[in-house]
Amino acid sequence: MKSFKALTIAGSDSGGGAGIQADLKTFQELDVFGMSAITAVTAQNTLGVHGVYPLTTEAVEEQIEAIGTDMGLDALKTGMLFNAEIIEAVAKKIKKFQWDKVVTDPVMIAKGGASLLQEEAVEALKEHLLPVTLILTPNIPEAEVLAGMEIKTFEDRKEAASRLHELGAKYVLIKGGHGDEEGVTDLLYDGKEYSSFKKSRIATKNTHGTGCTFSAALAAELAKGNAVKEAVEVAELFIHSAIEEDLMIGNGHGPTNHWAYKRKQRQGEHNE
């Protein structure tokens, strides 16, 4: 029996809803062995981020090196990388080990508004990480920062996706959760064609870690050998289920339900 392996390079969320905790839960639910390289430890809960304690660049490099020289991987995802030095170091390791299934979730701001990426790190992300990225998964505010433009219309999203593709990402998926349309439409661009993934909008404040969870599901499916579009389809179902089956944990932006997708599978609710 072949074991599929995925690595998350991201921050730790003490509340368990986002970061490496969300990623590892997602990998497990999708039958992929999860590994982690921690970039920073955060003290946070559903009410917000109360502290960020970055690891040294050397510590991040050593974690990645340990995995690359022994266990290997089938796909990886990045989350909160915190600063320019860590971003550059991660990109170098990706090149060294010739890892090509890289999902980049450009984590910039927490749900409570706390900045999770230093300002100078944005340029480093564009210069070093996007050229080694298979699929980039920004939300609309993140896409605005990276593409250097305001996004108001769906045509703006297409333009932003095109700009981000030109920066090196082979695929760009702009998530539509921050859009003002009735439902939620995610836009995927492969350099030639645009594809839309539409789902209903769920009225809930419990969406902490949605970006982490979505990108982790993508990485898990890529690790199993699925093509990008098929991986996106599974990730869309996974995150929609996770938001829909509310856990009602905490007093702020609560976490999503990572076991909802598999439970629905068992009960035959995914009839696509």
Side-chain angles (χ1 to χ4, degrees), residues 105-126:
D105 181 20
V107 178
M108 294 180 181
I109 300 169
K111 283 289 186 294
S115 178
L116 297 175
L117 188 67
Q118 293 183 342
E119 208 166 305
E120 67 271 19
V122 173
E123 288 307 312
L125 195 147
K126 291 196 284 188

Side-chain angles (χ1 to χ4, degrees), residues 108-149:
M108 294 180 181
I109 300 169
K111 283 289 186 294
S115 178
L116 297 175
L117 188 67
Q118 293 183 342
E119 208 166 305
E120 67 271 19
V122 173
E123 288 307 312
L125 195 147
K126 291 196 284 188
E127 183 181 347
H128 299 289
L129 197 55
L130 293 198
V132 296
T133 293
L134 175 61
I135 178 164
L136 176 70
T137 62
N139 58 31
I140 290 173
E142 290 162 348
E144 287 183 324
V145 172
L146 291 171
M149 61 176 285

Side-chain angles (χ1 to χ4, degrees), residues 2 11 35 37 50 66 74 94 116 136 160 173 177-178 183 186 242 261:
K2 177 170 170 54
M35 303 167 290
H50 306 289
D74 298 298
I94 289 170
L116 297 175
L136 176 70
L173 190 142
H178 288 78
D186 293 346
Y261 174 80

Side-chain angles (χ1 to χ4, degrees), residues 97-225:
F97 291 108
Q98 298 181 321
W99 291 327
D100 57 357
K101 293 182 180 179
V102 178
V103 180
T104 298
D105 181 20
V107 178
M108 294 180 181
I109 300 169
K111 283 289 186 294
S115 178
L116 297 175
L117 188 67
Q118 293 183 342
E119 208 166 305
E120 67 271 19
V122 173
E123 288 307 312
L125 195 147
K126 291 196 284 188
E127 183 181 347
H128 299 289
L129 197 55
L130 293 198
V132 296
T133 293
L134 175 61
I135 178 164
L136 176 70
T137 62
N139 58 31
I140 290 173
E142 290 162 348
E144 287 183 324
V145 172
L146 291 171
M149 61 176 285
E150 197 173 32
I151 298 174
K152 294 293 185 186
T153 67
F154 202 73
E155 287 304 310
D156 290 340
R157 292 186 209 179
K158 288 184 174 181
E159 172 62 25
S162 176
R163 290 189 188 187
L164 295 174
H165 180 268
E166 286 174 9
L167 289 174
K170 294 178 180 63
Y171 291 81
V172 178
L173 190 142
I174 298 180
K175 297 171 292 189
H178 288 78
D180 54 10
E181 64 264 31
E182 186 177 340
V184 175
T185 301
D186 293 346
L187 177 70
L188 178 67
Y189 180 58
D190 65 2
K192 295 178 181 177
E193 296 179 347
Y194 295 95
S195 303
S196 295
F197 299 84
K198 299 180 180 180
K199 50 189 181 287
S200 59
R201 189 179 293 275
I202 300 165
T204 178
K205 65 176 182 176
N206 297 319
T207 56
H208 180 54
T210 49
C212 303
T213 299
F214 179 79
S215 56
L218 262 178
E221 291 303 302
L222 291 171
K224 291 188 282 190

Side-chain angles (χ1 to χ4, degrees), residues 246-260:
D246 209 329
L247 290 170
M248 300 297 287
I249 292 174
N251 299 294
H253 294 289
T256 65
N257 184 342
H258 292 91
W259 61 76

Side-chain angles (χ1 to χ4, degrees), residues 237 240-241 244-245 259-270:
L237 275 175
H240 192 73
S241 301
E244 193 173 40
E245 296 210 356
W259 61 76
Y261 174 80
K262 189 167 273 187
R263 189 200 64 74
K264 285 191 172 188
Q265 267 195 327
R266 286 195 300 266
Q267 296 182 1
E269 292 180 35
H270 295 318

Side-chain angles (χ1 to χ4, degrees), residues 38-111:
I38 300 173
T39 58
V41 173
T42 69
Q44 65 176 299
N45 52 26
T46 66
L47 297 173
V49 179
H50 306 289
V52 179
Y53 307 94
L55 272 69
T56 64
T57 303
E58 183 184 6
V60 177
E61 288 175 324
E62 285 293 325
Q63 292 175 82
I64 300 170
E65 185 76 13
I67 290 160
T69 54
D70 176 32
M71 303 164 77
L73 54 83
D74 298 298
L76 72 87
K77 64 147 291 187
T78 67
M80 184 182 80
L81 299 180
F82 189 69
N83 62 34
E85 194 176 338
I86 290 175
I87 289 169
E88 191 168 350
V90 167
K92 282 181 179 176
K93 290 296 182 187
I94 289 170
K95 289 176 184 174
K96 174 183 175 178
F97 291 108
Q98 298 181 321
W99 291 327
D100 57 357
K101 293 182 180 179
V102 178
V103 180
T104 298
D105 181 20
V107 178
M108 294 180 181
I109 300 169
K111 283 289 186 294

